[in-house]
Amino acid sequence: MPVTEKESSPVLRKIIHIDMDAFYASVEQRDFPEYRGKPIVVGGSPEGRGGVVATASYEARKFGIRSAMASKKARELCPEVLFIKPRFEAYKEVSKQIREIFHRYTDIIEPLSLDEAYLDVTEDKQKIGSALIIAQRIKEAIKAELQLTASAGVSVNKFVAKIASDMRKPDGLMFIEPARVVEFMEQLPVEKFHGVGKVTAEKMKMLNLYTGADLKKLEEAELVKLFGKAGRFYFRIVRGQDDRHVEPNRETKSLAAEDTFQLDLHTSEEMIVELDKLATILFNRMTRYQLKGRTITLKIKYSDFRQITRNRSFPTPTSDREVLFETAKQLLLGTDLNDQRIRLLGIAISNFQEITHAAGARSQLELFDPQTE
Ligand SMILES: [Mg+2]
């Protein structure tokens, strides 16, 4: 496979974002005919006593049931909804099969979770040359071989491809051609920008920023002042500029616990107390998913939105709470804490050794990538 010169080359890239439709629920409906055509929810507890919905079938979505919704709420919306225990082993197997289909066209695949991936098909293995045709063939193969549907977004960068894949769900295919990228970004409502959470979207609207075109009127410096480092990203993305590569070796996911503080922390004592709490939260998550990792990463965001990460790796995987805490503490004390105000702290663990079949569970969690600054 020839290495493409994405950064220096003026050649437009061809990026596909593939996202399986209601993945867990669809696998259940495929494997158990009695669930077909019915409102089902994977995850959560049937008595509505706790837990959240991992995935809702399209029949359940008609009642307003969504991912991450409390079981109780789901039951209120649709009393006859069926709650199904997740079978991560099955989803993982299907995920592997989907990936094998991708590999027929490219090896530059960046999985985001079990059911979602970016593909760079600028140079595809079969010399098809058209990303749109490749996306179509992948969808067809998934349907024919796995009896499941996927939605695909095709464009010149990751950002636009990902938004596009969500526009025609389920079984959708959306192509944003290069000439339309700028216009597409201008008309895009800010809450559709992935990476823009609820809080930021609210803030933008308070500032009368409703679409990409509104953001585009601001200077880069103004955006940075308002939104920190993300401002720089917004400045570029509203102009259709996103040169993030599709990174094939991003399997190294991390499990993280982080907290943004109401009031900035400015003494090391306060920071250490928070790290202690975060270590416990992370430890509990690791225990729940039976993960051990070799790399511990500390993330610090300062009051001026600057962000740094520091990490340390160990020769053998650990899941020890004290090791998490002590390592994070040492990493913190290794930074310059003079006159610093900290708004967010996070601890992450990566380089996993899986004790059991935890990959599926992991993808459902909040993750942050310790490599990103
Ligand atoms: Mg999906």
Side-chain angles (χ1 to χ4, degrees):
M1 177 93 213
V3 175
T4 48
E5 296 168 308
K6 289 179 220 96
E7 212 144 46
S8 52
S9 160
V11 172
L12 278 176
R13 292 179 304 154
K14 298 170 185 169
I15 310 293
I16 302 175
H17 178 257
I18 301 256
D19 185 17
M20 299 299 289
D21 302 320
F23 185 51
Y24 298 172
S26 303
V27 173
E28 295 303 329
Q29 290 181 321
R30 179 194 74 173
D31 294 351
F32 300 95
E34 61 269 33
Y35 296 153
R36 290 181 200 159
K38 297 217 174 96
I40 67 163
V41 149
V42 176
S45 95
E47 302 81 17
R49 266 199 304 243
V52 295
V53 173
T55 310
S57 70
Y58 281 93
E59 294 84 356
R61 291 180 195 200
K62 284 188 193 137
F63 293 88
I65 299 175
R66 297 282 177 271
S67 300
M69 181 179 274
S71 319
K72 189 163 178 262
K73 173 95 198 207
R75 171 149 320 279
E76 277 166 24
L77 288 169
C78 175
E80 69 269 32
V81 70
L82 294 172
F83 288 86
I84 292 159
K85 204 167 160 253
R87 292 182 301 135
F88 288 120
E89 207 44 35
Y91 313 146
K92 217 169 136 180
E93 183 54 35
V94 178
S95 184
K96 223 172 86 191
Q97 294 166 330
I98 296 163
R99 214 151 302 165
E100 278 161 19
I101 293 173
F102 297 161
H103 275 290
R104 295 172 195 168
Y105 302 94
T106 180
D107 292 322
I108 310 178
I109 300 164
E110 179 181 329
L112 298 175
S113 63
L114 287 182
D115 78 319
E116 210 185 315
Y118 289 113
L119 279 63
D120 186 324
V121 295
T122 311
E123 291 179 31
D124 70 276
K125 283 177 173 177
Q126 300 190 22
K127 308 249 178 290
I128 294 167
S130 158
L132 188 58
I133 292 174
I134 294 167
Q136 225 150 15
R137 293 203 184 155
I138 288 172
K139 276 167 54 67
E140 282 163 13
I142 290 172
K143 205 176 281 180
E145 298 167 34
L146 307 174
Q147 293 81 49
L148 291 167
T149 64
S151 293
V154 180
S155 197
V156 292
N157 64 44
K158 283 174 149 184
F159 192 92
V160 176
K162 183 162 165 93
I163 293 168
S165 73
D166 201 41
M167 295 177 73
R168 299 259 164 95
K169 267 183 164 292
D171 203 10
L173 176 57
M174 184 75 181
F175 173 45
I176 308 294
E177 56 195 287
R180 273 179 56 215
V181 166
V182 168
E183 183 202 336
F184 177 81
M185 287 309 303
E186 285 176 352
Q187 54 76 40
L188 195 69
V190 291
E191 62 270 21
K192 293 267 177 181
F193 279 53
H194 63 87
V196 170
K198 253 194 184 143
V199 177
T200 308
E202 287 303 310
K203 183 174 175 183
M204 286 181 172
K205 287 180 181 175
M206 298 236 295
L207 296 161
N208 281 322
L209 303 168
Y210 295 95
T211 63
D214 295 332
L215 286 172
K216 210 171 175 177
K217 287 180 203 143
L218 300 182
E219 307 273 340
E220 186 170 2
E222 280 178 284
L223 285 167
V224 171
K225 214 171 121 195
L226 289 167
F227 306 107
K229 204 177 78 103
R232 213 162 294 149
F233 181 70
Y234 302 149
F235 182 82
R236 295 176 54 74
I237 206 65
V238 294
R239 286 162 180 78
Q241 297 162 6
D242 173 13
D243 9 283
R244 287 173 301 152
H245 291 190
V246 174
E247 290 173 43
N249 46 8
R250 268 183 58 149
E251 296 271 326
T252 46
K253 293 229 169 124
S254 67
L255 198 56
E258 58 176 59
D259 199 8
T260 305
F261 309 111
Q262 297 282 353
L263 295 170
D264 294 338
L265 309 179
H266 61 276
T267 69
S268 54
E269 288 78 14
E270 290 173 329
M271 296 167 195
I272 290 167
V273 168
E274 294 303 331
L275 285 183
D276 199 12
K277 290 185 206 161
L278 290 171
T280 302
I281 295 169
L282 182 56
F283 169 74
N284 289 338
R285 287 188 184 165
M286 292 173 71
T287 311
R288 184 145 38 110
Y289 296 104
Q290 299 203 287
L291 287 168
K292 284 185 172 203
R294 288 203 306 110
T295 303
I296 294 170
T297 301
L298 172 73
K299 172 172 158 185
I300 304 175
K301 200 188 256 181
Y302 300 99
S303 56
D304 59 3
F305 287 99
R306 263 181 319 124
Q307 189 176 301
I308 61 163
T309 59
R310 294 287 180 269
N311 64 66
R312 180 174 302 160
S313 292
F314 297 91
T316 52
T318 182
S319 61
D320 188 301
R321 201 211 77 95
E322 289 316 303
V323 174
L324 290 175
F325 171 57
E326 279 303 323
T327 307
K329 185 171 138 189
Q330 294 313 320
L331 291 169
L332 174 77
L333 296 174
T335 66
D336 176 17
L337 290 174
N338 275 330
D339 288 326
Q340 297 289 7
R341 296 188 157 266
I342 289 181
R343 95 168 23 213
L344 174 149
L345 284 172
I347 310 175
I349 186 145
S350 55
N351 267 326
F352 291 127
Q353 178 196 66
E354 290 179 34
I355 304 167
T356 58
H357 334 297
R362 214 163 71 217
S363 67
Q364 294 294 307
L365 296 168
E366 228 185 22
L367 304 164
F368 80 74
D369 177 3
Q371 272 85 47
T372 36
E373 261 238 303

